[in-house]
Every structure is written in C-alpha cells, then in structure tokens.
Amino acid sequence: MATETEEQPERGRQAPTFTVDELAARAGVTVRTVRFYGTKGLLPPPVIGPRRVGHYGPGHLSRLALIEELRRQGMTLAAIERYLHQLPPDLSARDLAVHRALVASWAPESAEEITRRELERRAGRTLADGDVDRLAAMGVLDKGADPDIFRLDATLLRLGVELLDVPIAHETILASRTVLLEHARAAAQELSRLFRDEVWNPYRESAEDPDHLAAMKSLSAHMQPMVIQALVTAFQRSLREELRAAFGTEQAAETG
C-alpha cells in the first residue's frame, strides 16, 4: 500500500522527489518551517537516500499545503495535529489535495492577477493552451482580454495541475463542475440552516452573557474543518459505492 513518504508511481512512472529546499520552494514556505513541522510530527520524515540526503514526495507537498491552509484558517498546531490524526493513514497526495481545496473553500476568495510565466513557475511545468483551458474549466483561473494575464485562485492550483494528467474530456469537466457546485451549494445551505435554527438561535436566546456568545462564534469557526472532513468522507464513501455498483454490474454482465 502506498504511503505519504513513498507513493506507488502511476503507470510505471516513478513519483517525483524533492530535496527539503525544493519542497519548501514549491510549497511557498521556508526550510525552517518544513523542519519544524517534521519535529512536531505533522509532516512524515523523508526517505533518506545516498549521502544522507532526505527525499520528499508528492504526499509531503500536499500534506504541507494542507497544514498551511489549516493555519490560514486560524487553527492552532494542536488542532491541526488532531485534524491530521483523524485522516486515513493511506491518503494519497491527490486525496490530501482534495482535503486542502475543500478547507480553502471556507476562506475568503483569494483571486490574484498573475502572468503566464508566473503561473507556470507555480505549477512547476509548462502549460499548453489546452491546459490553461482545462484549468479555467475547473475554476482554477479566469482568462481575460490579455492572453498572458489570468485571475488565479491559488488555493486550487495544486489540485488543478494534478488533474491535468487525468484523461477527462473538457466537456466532462464542465459538466462535473456544474453538478458539484449545485450539490455543494445545496448542502452548504442546509447545513447553515440547521446550525442557525438548532444551535445558534436557541443559544443566543438563552444566553445573554457576551462570553457565551463569543464561545458560540468560536465554535462556529472551528466547526468548519469538522464539517469539511465529514463531507469529504461521506462523498468518498458514496462515490466508491456508486463506482463499485456501476462497474461491478458491467463486469458481471461481461463475464455472464
């Protein structure tokens, strides 16, 4: 089974590895930060290669990005440690990227203008026009009048770049995004209603102490990562069951 420190390469290709300097540069943090997370147990140790050089993989990069996103959401290191401890131990780099993208969805929009050269530097690869179109379809960036200037949602870039290698048609990406947005918005509206009607309003009416109201607001903020994890887990299980049912039926028909 693949782990975060040594993932199985896809289709025979060896997964890329990074030195600590390369990992820090790709994640936009300092080497000191990488090592600090390692000492705290938030980041798995690297694979030690020749000359005692540590090698980090895509799982480290995705986990590091998730940690940084959780910190931007205001979570303490202790809370981040508890959050990471609750995640399945065999999550792939792509699974971690999904978690990070969903966590980032709670944050205010972080769109920024970026040149194509800077976009490719952050993506870590050259981007063809078709790649840019796919990133736009996934909502990672918006194209304007200038073909070399984009509005980028940096929180989605890493996941979007990973999905470029998945053989999915452009039209399918657009259709999938529409479905996901519709259902995500409906779930968010229903969860917000439940929290407002069943938790917040009764508490506000019965507690006049300002400290109690502050505590409830704090609870609301800390509920976000918990809700995200519940949604991710429920979605992954449901998708796994649907795929198993669909493809299991096809296989049975083929062998029948």
Side-chain angles (χ1 to χ4, degrees):
M1 180 176 293
T3 66
E4 290 172 343
T5 55
E6 187 177 0
E7 295 187 343
Q8 294 292 337
E10 296 182 4
R11 298 181 181 179
R13 294 181 301 175
Q14 186 175 359
T17 60
F18 321 106
T19 64
V20 66
D21 297 283
E22 292 169 338
L23 177 69
R26 282 177 174 262
V29 301
T30 64
V31 171
R32 183 178 180 181
T33 297
V34 173
R35 289 176 172 154
F36 173 73
Y37 289 155
T39 60
K40 290 294 183 180
L42 301 178
L43 200 64
V47 175
I48 304 301
R51 300 182 182 179
R52 303 295 298 170
V53 175
H55 294 275
Y56 298 83
H60 289 95
L61 181 59
S62 294
R63 191 177 181 92
L64 184 54
L66 175 58
I67 293 170
E68 286 297 292
E69 191 60 55
L70 292 171
R71 292 201 69 176
R72 279 191 287 270
Q73 293 293 328
M75 291 182 67
T76 64
L77 288 177
I80 292 173
E81 183 177 5
R82 290 194 297 271
Y83 180 92
L84 295 175
H85 182 71
Q86 293 172 358
L87 296 178
D90 58 347
L91 284 183
S92 67
R94 189 162 295 163
D95 290 331
L96 288 168
V98 170
H99 274 273
R100 187 233 172 175
L102 289 173
V103 169
S105 67
W106 292 93
E109 291 189 7
S110 55
E112 58 179 297
E113 281 198 351
I114 189 172
T115 64
R116 183 159 187 155
R117 182 177 180 181
E118 176 64 14
L119 174 64
E120 292 183 338
R121 188 190 71 80
R122 293 196 194 180
R125 60 188 285 179
T126 300
L127 298 173
D129 290 342
D131 295 330
V132 173
D133 290 340
R134 286 168 67 86
L135 290 175
M138 289 184 278
V140 177
L141 56 82
D142 290 320
K143 297 188 293 184
D146 189 331
D148 291 322
I149 301 293
F150 307 98
R151 290 285 292 174
L152 171 72
D153 187 340
T155 61
L156 296 176
L157 179 59
R158 179 58 51 191
L159 177 61
V161 171
E162 291 181 357
L163 291 176
L164 288 178
D165 295 326
V166 178
I168 300 177
H170 184 79
E171 293 75 13
T172 304
I173 294 176
L174 291 174
S176 300
R177 184 166 183 259
T178 299
V179 171
L180 288 173
L181 286 176
E182 289 179 354
H183 288 278
R185 187 174 293 112
Q189 291 173 346
E190 185 62 18
L191 288 171
S192 297
R193 185 194 66 77
L194 284 172
F195 182 80
R196 182 190 66 234
D197 296 346
E198 305 298 332
V199 180
W200 174 251
N201 285 341
Y203 192 95
R204 183 178 58 183
E205 293 170 359
S206 62
E208 299 180 357
D209 188 342
D211 291 337
H212 289 179
L213 291 177
M216 180 54 61
K217 291 179 180 179
S218 176
L219 172 62
S220 174
H222 285 84
M223 278 185 64
Q224 293 176 356
M226 292 186 288
V227 171
I228 289 170
Q229 185 171 341
L231 287 172
V232 171
T233 301
F235 177 76
Q236 288 176 331
R237 288 177 178 172
S238 298
L239 183 60
R240 189 180 303 116
E241 292 172 358
E242 290 296 325
L243 291 175
R244 185 182 296 118
F247 291 100
T249 300
E250 290 182 5
Q251 291 176 354
E254 291 175 357
T255 59

